Amino acid sequence: MYPILLIAAVAASASALPARAQRTYTVAVDRADLDLTRARDVARLDRRIARAAETACGAPSPYDLAGTNDQPRCTRAAIAAAAITRDRAIAAARAARGQ
């Protein structure tokens, strides 16, 4: 089992760039210290994923209206992309515990 989830996100201002110029950023989320059979630790993991998504998407310049508008969309997409890995990690933890 891997103790780290990877969060990938397309740069916040990517909609203004051609496809070949878009960048994908990846941020690692450590979960080794969490017991994913406990709701409290799952909530901690969710907060870590949200912070990692915000980091991966970056903060747009206040002068970049398109980037400012795309940043929340980028964050939501990154969190959604991590959902499968998150759910698998929780299921594996519960299976290991026999829950």
Side-chain angles (χ1 to χ4, degrees):
M1 185 181 319
Y2 298 101
I4 295 178
L5 294 173
L6 297 177
I7 307 299
V10 175
S13 61
S15 66
L17 300 173
R20 68 184 184 286
Q22 293 180 1
R23 293 185 183 177
T24 300
Y25 296 93
T26 303
V27 178
V29 177
D30 188 8
R31 61 180 173 87
D33 62 327
L34 301 176
D35 177 358
L36 297 181
T37 62
R38 295 173 34 193
R40 189 167 115 199
D41 283 354
V42 171
R44 285 181 180 159
L45 177 62
D46 290 341
R47 286 191 299 272
R48 290 178 187 182
I49 290 170
R51 281 193 306 267
E54 290 172 359
T55 299
C57 290
S61 163
Y63 303 106
D64 179 10
L65 183 58
T68 300
N69 292 334
D70 285 344
Q71 202 277 341
R73 189 173 326 143
C74 175
T75 300
R76 286 190 305 273
I79 292 169
I84 294 171
T85 306
R86 171 204 177 270
D87 293 345
R88 285 183 183 159
I90 293 168
R94 290 181 177 161
R97 274 257 173 117
Q99 294 180 344

